[in-house]
Amino acid sequence: MNNKDDKKMSHFAHVTQAHPCFNEKIHDKVGRIHIPIAPKCNIQCGFCTRSLNDVEKRPGVASCIMSIDEAMNHIRKTVKSMPINVIGVAGPGDSLCNPNTLKLFRKVKEEFPNLILCMSTNGLLVPKYADEIAEVGVKTVTITVNAVDVNIGSKIYDNIEYGGRIYHGVEGFKILLDNQLKGIEMLSKRGVIVKVNSVLIPGVNDKHIKEIASVVKSKGASIMNVLPLIPMNKFKDYERPGCGMLSEVREEVEEYLPVFRACTQCRADAFGIPGKKSDDFSLDLVPNSHY
């Protein structure tokens, strides 16, 4: 192992010791803040329905969209009241499809330099913004990769908006996949830790996720998270995968990458300690939170 690899492993160890979405041992001990500052999205996943509401407990949902100033005030208040290690943007749309995401990170880095900056994205625009992501101080990026086979991927994604055009089917998925894999490689080379999320869709990609793990590892991904489908949109009639299927797929993935198993599939405005009922909140639970 050379000095560059030693430095990367040291950086990875530091982040995993402090990030509740990378380390199951601290998942119920330290908190994160998801800032709902990114409403727009540039793809349509077959299982996704974005929404502003106070009811659903899932990704793609928030009770409001914050401005940068509102987000900073929310962060200031929250870090005073509970242990927070991470500031993340996870929607309710795509982080990189919204300019305020990176603008917010610049402000957070300046005022709270010890907090880990984290973002989730579909990966379509990562190659365009990889340098800026690293420059603003983002330490971890989660990219959702649900297929590395065009025939499978084209069944999962409906529309890909890229370069001022909308693409469909295999053509659209090829653009998405190429940018996802290029983005993983670019971020990894810039010292950003990449976690890959894959949504397990029974009968569609359940036999394919092991291959995803192999490919994304070769591009520089460090850890993987296999999530059960929440039946919605065109997959609304599919069954949510059970524990047996999830365990089997996760064990296959572990042949290539470590697997994070404690994800609670949070709202885009969640904050506090994940999965700990007394200390995990979303903005709908906070008086006067609708900015």
mmCIF file of all heavy atoms in Angstrom, residues 32-67:
data_model
loop_
_atom_site.group_PDB
_atom_site.id
_atom_site.type_symbol
_atom_site.label_atom_id
_atom_site.label_comp_id
_atom_site.label_asym_id
_atom_site.label_seq_id
_atom_site.Cartn_x
_atom_site.Cartn_y
_atom_site.Cartn_z
ATOM 1 N N ARG A 32 -27.406 13.653 12.634
ATOM 2 C CA ARG A 32 -27.189 14.315 11.344
ATOM 3 C C ARG A 32 -28.361 15.270 11.129
ATOM 4 O O ARG A 32 -29.409 15.178 11.764
ATOM 5 C CB ARG A 32 -27.062 13.314 10.205
ATOM 6 C CG ARG A 32 -28.324 12.660 9.621
ATOM 7 C CD ARG A 32 -29.322 12.229 10.548
ATOM 8 N NE ARG A 32 -30.439 11.454 10.019
ATOM 9 C CZ ARG A 32 -31.572 11.391 10.665
ATOM 10 N NH1 ARG A 32 -31.763 12.059 11.798
ATOM 11 N NH2 ARG A 32 -32.550 10.641 10.216
ATOM 12 N N ILE A 33 -28.173 16.220 10.239
ATOM 13 C CA ILE A 33 -29.243 17.114 9.823
ATOM 14 C C ILE A 33 -29.373 17.005 8.309
ATOM 15 O O ILE A 33 -28.415 17.277 7.585
ATOM 16 C CB ILE A 33 -28.965 18.583 10.195
ATOM 17 C CG1 ILE A 33 -28.686 18.735 11.693
ATOM 18 C CG2 ILE A 33 -30.140 19.461 9.780
ATOM 19 C CD1 ILE A 33 -28.289 20.158 12.094
ATOM 20 N N HIS A 34 -30.539 16.591 7.839
ATOM 21 C CA HIS A 34 -30.837 16.649 6.406
ATOM 22 C C HIS A 34 -31.502 17.989 6.107
ATOM 23 O O HIS A 34 -32.530 18.313 6.710
ATOM 24 C CB HIS A 34 -31.789 15.520 6.003
ATOM 25 C CG HIS A 34 -31.133 14.173 5.942
ATOM 26 N ND1 HIS A 34 -31.836 13.025 5.672
ATOM 27 C CD2 HIS A 34 -29.842 13.795 6.107
ATOM 28 C CE1 HIS A 34 -31.022 11.996 5.671
ATOM 29 N NE2 HIS A 34 -29.803 12.432 5.935
ATOM 30 N N ILE A 35 -30.916 18.739 5.217
ATOM 31 C CA ILE A 35 -31.447 20.051 4.865
ATOM 32 C C ILE A 35 -32.280 19.945 3.592
ATOM 33 O O ILE A 35 -31.754 19.600 2.531
ATOM 34 C CB ILE A 35 -30.315 21.072 4.652
ATOM 35 C CG1 ILE A 35 -29.456 21.192 5.912
ATOM 36 C CG2 ILE A 35 -30.893 22.425 4.250
ATOM 37 C CD1 ILE A 35 -30.193 21.716 7.119
ATOM 38 N N PRO A 36 -33.579 20.222 3.650
ATOM 39 C CA PRO A 36 -34.431 20.142 2.451
ATOM 40 C C PRO A 36 -34.312 21.409 1.607
ATOM 41 O O PRO A 36 -35.139 22.306 1.658
ATOM 42 C CB PRO A 36 -35.836 20.000 3.046
ATOM 43 C CG PRO A 36 -35.766 20.769 4.334
ATOM 44 C CD PRO A 36 -34.360 20.567 4.855
ATOM 45 N N ILE A 37 -33.253 21.433 0.820
ATOM 46 C CA ILE A 37 -32.950 22.632 0.047
ATOM 47 C C ILE A 37 -32.919 22.344 -1.456
ATOM 48 O O ILE A 37 -32.667 23.230 -2.258
ATOM 49 C CB ILE A 37 -31.594 23.205 0.530
ATOM 50 C CG1 ILE A 37 -31.462 24.684 0.187
ATOM 51 C CG2 ILE A 37 -30.428 22.383 -0.015
ATOM 52 C CD1 ILE A 37 -30.277 25.355 0.859
ATOM 53 N N ALA A 38 -33.207 21.084 -1.823
ATOM 54 C CA ALA A 38 -33.031 20.645 -3.214
ATOM 55 C C ALA A 38 -34.319 20.039 -3.768
ATOM 56 O O ALA A 38 -34.476 18.811 -3.813
ATOM 57 C CB ALA A 38 -31.890 19.634 -3.288
ATOM 58 N N PRO A 39 -35.281 20.850 -4.228
ATOM 59 C CA PRO A 39 -36.564 20.304 -4.694
ATOM 60 C C PRO A 39 -36.545 19.720 -6.106
ATOM 61 O O PRO A 39 -37.323 18.820 -6.411
ATOM 62 C CB PRO A 39 -37.492 21.524 -4.637
ATOM 63 C CG PRO A 39 -36.586 22.695 -4.845
ATOM 64 C CD PRO A 39 -35.298 22.322 -4.169
ATOM 65 N N LYS A 40 -35.677 20.236 -6.973
ATOM 66 C CA LYS A 40 -35.706 19.811 -8.372
ATOM 67 C C LYS A 40 -34.960 18.499 -8.576
ATOM 68 O O LYS A 40 -34.000 18.192 -7.870
ATOM 69 C CB LYS A 40 -35.067 20.887 -9.254
ATOM 70 C CG LYS A 40 -35.786 22.217 -9.255
ATOM 71 C CD LYS A 40 -35.052 23.222 -10.135
ATOM 72 C CE LYS A 40 -35.731 24.583 -10.103
ATOM 73 N NZ LYS A 40 -34.985 25.582 -10.909
ATOM 74 N N CYS A 41 -35.416 17.720 -9.566
ATOM 75 C CA CYS A 41 -34.717 16.492 -9.929
ATOM 76 C C CYS A 41 -34.645 16.396 -11.449
ATOM 77 O O CYS A 41 -35.490 16.934 -12.173
ATOM 78 C CB CYS A 41 -35.428 15.268 -9.347
ATOM 79 S SG CYS A 41 -34.398 13.765 -9.386
ATOM 80 N N ASN A 42 -33.618 15.694 -11.934
ATOM 81 C CA ASN A 42 -33.398 15.601 -13.374
ATOM 82 C C ASN A 42 -33.590 14.190 -13.918
ATOM 83 O O ASN A 42 -33.283 13.930 -15.085
ATOM 84 C CB ASN A 42 -31.997 16.107 -13.731
ATOM 85 C CG ASN A 42 -30.933 15.575 -12.791
ATOM 86 O OD1 ASN A 42 -31.152 14.621 -12.052
ATOM 87 N ND2 ASN A 42 -29.766 16.204 -12.806
ATOM 88 N N ILE A 43 -34.098 13.291 -13.088
ATOM 89 C CA ILE A 43 -34.456 11.962 -13.584
ATOM 90 C C ILE A 43 -35.786 11.558 -12.949
ATOM 91 O O ILE A 43 -36.219 12.149 -11.964
ATOM 92 C CB ILE A 43 -33.377 10.893 -13.274
ATOM 93 C CG1 ILE A 43 -33.333 10.579 -11.770
ATOM 94 C CG2 ILE A 43 -32.006 11.339 -13.752
ATOM 95 C CD1 ILE A 43 -32.400 9.426 -11.429
ATOM 96 N N GLN A 44 -36.413 10.552 -13.529
ATOM 97 C CA GLN A 44 -37.609 9.988 -12.917
ATOM 98 C C GLN A 44 -37.378 8.504 -12.684
ATOM 99 O O GLN A 44 -37.340 7.722 -13.635
ATOM 100 C CB GLN A 44 -38.846 10.203 -13.780
ATOM 101 C CG GLN A 44 -40.121 9.603 -13.181
ATOM 102 C CD GLN A 44 -40.438 10.170 -11.796
ATOM 103 O OE1 GLN A 44 -40.655 11.365 -11.651
ATOM 104 N NE2 GLN A 44 -40.466 9.309 -10.782
ATOM 105 N N CYS A 45 -37.174 8.157 -11.410
ATOM 106 C CA CYS A 45 -37.049 6.749 -11.042
ATOM 107 C C CYS A 45 -38.437 6.136 -10.974
ATOM 108 O O CYS A 45 -39.387 6.780 -10.518
ATOM 109 C CB CYS A 45 -36.375 6.600 -9.679
ATOM 110 S SG CYS A 45 -34.770 7.394 -9.547
ATOM 111 N N GLY A 46 -38.553 4.898 -11.376
ATOM 112 C CA GLY A 46 -39.856 4.247 -11.391
ATOM 113 C C GLY A 46 -40.464 4.032 -10.026
ATOM 114 O O GLY A 46 -41.671 3.835 -9.911
ATOM 115 N N PHE A 47 -39.636 4.097 -8.969
ATOM 116 C CA PHE A 47 -40.136 3.843 -7.619
ATOM 117 C C PHE A 47 -40.261 5.125 -6.802
ATOM 118 O O PHE A 47 -40.565 5.076 -5.613
ATOM 119 C CB PHE A 47 -39.194 2.887 -6.871
ATOM 120 C CG PHE A 47 -37.751 3.312 -6.903
ATOM 121 C CD1 PHE A 47 -37.292 4.317 -6.080
ATOM 122 C CD2 PHE A 47 -36.868 2.711 -7.777
ATOM 123 C CE1 PHE A 47 -35.968 4.720 -6.128
ATOM 124 C CE2 PHE A 47 -35.539 3.093 -7.825
ATOM 125 C CZ PHE A 47 -35.090 4.107 -6.997
ATOM 126 N N CYS A 48 -40.031 6.283 -7.398
ATOM 127 C CA CYS A 48 -39.945 7.526 -6.635
ATOM 128 C C CYS A 48 -41.132 8.438 -6.904
ATOM 129 O O CYS A 48 -41.522 8.645 -8.063
ATOM 130 C CB CYS A 48 -38.649 8.260 -6.971
ATOM 131 S SG CYS A 48 -38.454 9.827 -6.081
ATOM 132 N N THR A 49 -41.665 8.992 -5.832
ATOM 133 C CA THR A 49 -42.652 10.066 -5.907
ATOM 134 C C THR A 49 -42.238 11.130 -4.908
ATOM 135 O O THR A 49 -42.290 10.913 -3.700
ATOM 136 C CB THR A 49 -44.066 9.559 -5.566
ATOM 137 O OG1 THR A 49 -44.429 8.516 -6.476
ATOM 138 C CG2 THR A 49 -45.080 10.691 -5.670
ATOM 139 N N ARG A 50 -41.790 12.267 -5.406
ATOM 140 C CA ARG A 50 -41.370 13.358 -4.521
ATOM 141 C C ARG A 50 -42.591 14.105 -4.016
ATOM 142 O O ARG A 50 -43.577 14.275 -4.725
ATOM 143 C CB ARG A 50 -40.434 14.305 -5.260
ATOM 144 C CG ARG A 50 -39.138 13.643 -5.696
ATOM 145 C CD ARG A 50 -38.226 14.588 -6.438
ATOM 146 N NE ARG A 50 -38.799 15.052 -7.695
ATOM 147 C CZ ARG A 50 -38.787 14.369 -8.824
ATOM 148 N NH1 ARG A 50 -38.242 13.163 -8.850
ATOM 149 N NH2 ARG A 50 -39.320 14.857 -9.917
ATOM 150 N N SER A 51 -42.507 14.565 -2.771
ATOM 151 C CA SER A 51 -43.690 15.187 -2.181
ATOM 152 C C SER A 51 -43.310 16.108 -1.034
ATOM 153 O O SER A 51 -42.314 15.880 -0.340
ATOM 154 C CB SER A 51 -44.640 14.093 -1.655
ATOM 155 O OG SER A 51 -45.773 14.662 -1.042
ATOM 156 N N LEU A 52 -44.112 17.163 -0.848
ATOM 157 C CA LEU A 52 -44.034 17.993 0.341
ATOM 158 C C LEU A 52 -45.237 17.651 1.201
ATOM 159 O O LEU A 52 -46.371 17.955 0.835
ATOM 160 C CB LEU A 52 -44.043 19.483 -0.018
ATOM 161 C CG LEU A 52 -42.837 20.009 -0.805
ATOM 162 C CD1 LEU A 52 -43.017 21.501 -1.088
ATOM 163 C CD2 LEU A 52 -41.536 19.773 -0.053
ATOM 164 N N ASN A 53 -44.992 16.987 2.327
ATOM 165 C CA ASN A 53 -46.081 16.653 3.236
ATOM 166 C C ASN A 53 -45.545 16.390 4.633
ATOM 167 O O ASN A 53 -44.336 16.300 4.850
ATOM 168 C CB ASN A 53 -46.900 15.464 2.715
ATOM 169 C CG ASN A 53 -46.134 14.158 2.732
ATOM 170 O OD1 ASN A 53 -45.695 13.687 3.780
ATOM 171 N ND2 ASN A 53 -45.979 13.544 1.560
ATOM 172 N N ASP A 54 -46.453 16.295 5.583
ATOM 173 C CA ASP A 54 -46.099 16.094 6.981
ATOM 174 C C ASP A 54 -46.389 14.678 7.457
ATOM 175 O O ASP A 54 -46.417 14.430 8.664
ATOM 176 C CB ASP A 54 -46.895 17.070 7.871
ATOM 177 C CG ASP A 54 -46.550 18.522 7.599
ATOM 178 O OD1 ASP A 54 -45.501 18.773 6.987
ATOM 179 O OD2 ASP A 54 -47.341 19.398 7.993
ATOM 180 N N VAL A 55 -46.588 13.752 6.524
ATOM 181 C CA VAL A 55 -47.102 12.437 6.899
ATOM 182 C C VAL A 55 -46.104 11.317 6.628
ATOM 183 O O VAL A 55 -45.804 10.509 7.513
ATOM 184 C CB VAL A 55 -48.427 12.147 6.160
ATOM 185 C CG1 VAL A 55 -48.962 10.784 6.546
ATOM 186 C CG2 VAL A 55 -49.458 13.232 6.446
ATOM 187 N N GLU A 56 -45.594 11.252 5.421
ATOM 188 C CA GLU A 56 -44.802 10.095 5.020
ATOM 189 C C GLU A 56 -43.401 10.119 5.618
ATOM 190 O O GLU A 56 -42.775 11.170 5.736
ATOM 191 C CB GLU A 56 -44.696 10.041 3.499
ATOM 192 C CG GLU A 56 -46.029 9.840 2.802
ATOM 193 C CD GLU A 56 -45.882 9.887 1.297
ATOM 194 O OE1 GLU A 56 -45.959 10.989 0.726
ATOM 195 O OE2 GLU A 56 -45.680 8.829 0.701
ATOM 196 N N LYS A 57 -42.915 8.944 5.956
ATOM 197 C CA LYS A 57 -41.579 8.781 6.514
ATOM 198 C C LYS A 57 -40.732 7.999 5.517
ATOM 199 O O LYS A 57 -40.567 6.783 5.619
ATOM 200 C CB LYS A 57 -41.636 8.050 7.859
ATOM 201 C CG LYS A 57 -42.558 8.686 8.882
ATOM 202 C CD LYS A 57 -42.091 10.074 9.290
ATOM 203 C CE LYS A 57 -42.999 10.677 10.342
ATOM 204 N NZ LYS A 57 -42.612 12.063 10.685
ATOM 205 N N ARG A 58 -40.214 8.707 4.526
ATOM 206 C CA ARG A 58 -39.433 8.053 3.480
ATOM 207 C C ARG A 58 -38.587 9.090 2.744
ATOM 208 O O ARG A 58 -38.837 10.304 2.843
ATOM 209 C CB ARG A 58 -40.362 7.338 2.478
ATOM 210 C CG ARG A 58 -41.300 8.296 1.733
ATOM 211 C CD ARG A 58 -42.058 7.592 0.636
ATOM 212 N NE ARG A 58 -43.006 8.475 -0.039
ATOM 213 C CZ ARG A 58 -42.697 9.297 -1.044
ATOM 214 N NH1 ARG A 58 -41.459 9.365 -1.482
ATOM 215 N NH2 ARG A 58 -43.627 10.056 -1.599
ATOM 216 N N PRO A 59 -37.608 8.646 1.958
ATOM 217 C CA PRO A 59 -36.856 9.581 1.112
ATOM 218 C C PRO A 59 -37.776 10.261 0.091
ATOM 219 O O PRO A 59 -38.812 9.726 -0.284
ATOM 220 C CB PRO A 59 -35.836 8.673 0.419
ATOM 221 C CG PRO A 59 -35.698 7.486 1.315
ATOM 222 C CD PRO A 59 -37.066 7.275 1.905
ATOM 223 N N GLY A 60 -37.368 11.442 -0.350
ATOM 224 C CA GLY A 60 -38.145 12.168 -1.350
ATOM 225 C C GLY A 60 -39.254 13.006 -0.773
ATOM 226 O O GLY A 60 -40.053 13.569 -1.511
ATOM 227 N N VAL A 61 -39.307 13.084 0.564
ATOM 228 C CA VAL A 61 -40.382 13.815 1.238
ATOM 229 C C VAL A 61 -39.795 14.817 2.216
ATOM 230 O O VAL A 61 -38.838 14.527 2.935
ATOM 231 C CB VAL A 61 -41.314 12.846 1.997
ATOM 232 C CG1 VAL A 61 -42.325 13.614 2.837
ATOM 233 C CG2 VAL A 61 -42.040 11.932 1.023
ATOM 234 N N ALA A 62 -40.374 16.007 2.240
ATOM 235 C CA ALA A 62 -40.060 17.027 3.241
ATOM 236 C C ALA A 62 -41.305 17.860 3.462
ATOM 237 O O ALA A 62 -42.234 17.842 2.651
ATOM 238 C CB ALA A 62 -38.899 17.907 2.789
ATOM 239 N N SER A 63 -41.320 18.580 4.567
ATOM 240 C CA SER A 63 -42.483 19.411 4.841
ATOM 241 C C SER A 63 -42.356 20.794 4.223
ATOM 242 O O SER A 63 -43.346 21.524 4.129
ATOM 243 C CB SER A 63 -42.704 19.540 6.348
ATOM 244 O OG SER A 63 -41.611 20.199 6.947
ATOM 245 N N CYS A 64 -41.140 21.184 3.827
ATOM 246 C CA CYS A 64 -40.928 22.491 3.231
ATOM 247 C C CYS A 64 -39.616 22.477 2.466
ATOM 248 O O CYS A 64 -38.843 21.522 2.568
ATOM 249 C CB CYS A 64 -40.894 23.577 4.308
ATOM 250 S SG CYS A 64 -39.434 23.456 5.399
ATOM 251 N N ILE A 65 -39.373 23.538 1.702
ATOM 252 C CA ILE A 65 -38.082 23.760 1.072
ATOM 253 C C ILE A 65 -37.467 24.990 1.720
ATOM 254 O O ILE A 65 -38.084 26.057 1.752
ATOM 255 C CB ILE A 65 -38.215 23.979 -0.450
ATOM 256 C CG1 ILE A 65 -38.899 22.776 -1.097
ATOM 257 C CG2 ILE A 65 -36.842 24.227 -1.072
ATOM 258 C CD1 ILE A 65 -38.178 21.459 -0.927
ATOM 259 N N MET A 66 -36.267 24.850 2.240
ATOM 260 C CA MET A 66 -35.608 25.940 2.943
ATOM 261 C C MET A 66 -34.781 26.806 1.999
ATOM 262 O O MET A 66 -34.218 26.313 1.015
ATOM 263 C CB MET A 66 -34.679 25.386 4.024
ATOM 264 C CG MET A 66 -35.372 24.794 5.221
ATOM 265 S SD MET A 66 -34.134 24.245 6.431
ATOM 266 C CE MET A 66 -35.183 23.927 7.838
ATOM 267 N N SER A 67 -34.675 28.077 2.341
ATOM 268 C CA SER A 67 -33.671 28.938 1.736
ATOM 269 C C SER A 67 -32.350 28.677 2.454
ATOM 270 O O SER A 67 -32.294 28.003 3.494
ATOM 271 C CB SER A 67 -34.058 30.401 1.895
ATOM 272 O OG SER A 67 -33.998 30.782 3.266
#
